Amino acid sequence: VDIGKGRNAVLYAGEVNWSPEDLEGAPPRIEHVLKSGQSVLVQVTKDPIGGKGARLTAQISLPGRFLVLAPNSDVSGISRRLPDAERRRLKPIIKSLKKPDAHGVIVRTAAEGAPEEALADDLRRLLEEGEQIEKRAKKAKAPAVLYEEPELTVRVVRDLFTDEEYRELVTDSPRIFGLFIDFL
């Protein structure tokens, strides 16, 4: 797949979104589903290394602080690392929040003890992010980057900072400060 980086990326047949209702028996060969020059929405799962191109998937996922959104998928689940009592607490909360049945939701380990409002905010932000990606996909001419994970500093705040452990963050970089403010 041409992703506009000079070197093609690899999309394995197992990483293509097959519609279960379209399948009768074994999945068709990838070259019978995707044609040369066809645009396909993909996500990079592994960066290029040496002579190998990046690895891709058509099964898109958007990570948040507490949840992972899987647009246009029916995948769902709760982290197995969470205690059973916490899994039981989270299951009805997620069921009540998950209004868009067209999207899958996976609950991350970080959701342990998170209030319903925080989970709802995370899901709302992820749904908005997904909508922005869809809008960009309709306007963009392939190959084009539609979304890129934020840089490491923002991912650390998103994934690791909790209200219980951190009260403030200090930076002397106006650029990083702006990134944090935009994210928060």
Side-chain angles (χ1 to χ4, degrees):
V1 176
D2 176 9
I3 58 170
K5 297 290 184 185
R7 185 183 333 163
N8 287 341
V10 180
L11 176 63
Y12 290 96
E15 296 292 332
V16 174
N17 284 335
W18 310 106
S19 298
E21 59 273 4
D22 294 342
L23 294 180
E24 291 179 19
R29 295 181 55 85
I30 193 169
E31 61 268 19
H32 296 145
V33 177
L34 300 176
K35 306 294 180 219
S36 182
Q38 176 183 347
S39 292
V40 60
L41 186 64
V42 293
Q43 182 173 16
V44 175
T45 58
K46 191 173 185 182
D47 290 331
I49 299 173
K52 290 186 173 188
R55 185 164 179 176
L56 307 175
T57 183
Q59 299 158 4
I60 308 299
S61 64
L62 300 170
R65 172 78 180 104
F66 303 116
L67 307 170
V68 175
L69 180 70
N72 306 315
S73 172
D74 60 358
V75 71
S76 64
I78 299 175
S79 171
R80 295 193 191 285
R81 288 191 229 154
L82 290 171
D84 289 341
E86 185 65 2
R87 290 168 58 91
R88 282 191 298 276
R89 180 188 78 88
L90 289 167
K91 192 171 187 172
I93 292 172
I94 296 305
K95 190 171 185 154
S96 72
L97 293 177
K98 191 179 168 278
K99 298 292 186 242
D101 287 335
H103 303 301
V105 175
I106 299 167
V107 180
R108 300 178 76 179
T109 307
E112 185 170 11
E116 185 171 347
E117 305 82 51
L119 297 169
D121 288 346
D122 205 30
L123 182 58
R124 181 189 40 74
R125 189 183 63 75
L126 291 170
L127 289 169
E128 287 172 7
E129 206 168 80
E131 288 172 14
Q132 291 300 316
I133 291 169
E134 283 182 30
K135 285 179 187 174
R136 286 186 217 118
K138 288 177 184 166
K139 292 179 184 176
K141 180 173 175 9
V145 174
L146 304 176
Y147 171 80
E148 200 167 354
E149 272 286 282
E151 64 178 67
L152 179 62
T153 51
V154 176
R155 289 194 321 259
V156 167
V157 169
R158 176 191 73 196
D159 296 344
L160 301 177
F161 278 35
T162 60
D163 291 338
E164 299 80 38
E165 294 182 56
Y166 299 95
R167 293 286 174 241
E168 69 179 333
L169 174 77
V170 178
T171 180
D172 62 355
S173 167
R175 186 184 71 78
I176 296 293
F177 179 77
L179 287 173
F180 289 145
I181 294 301
D182 289 345
F183 175 75
L184 296 173

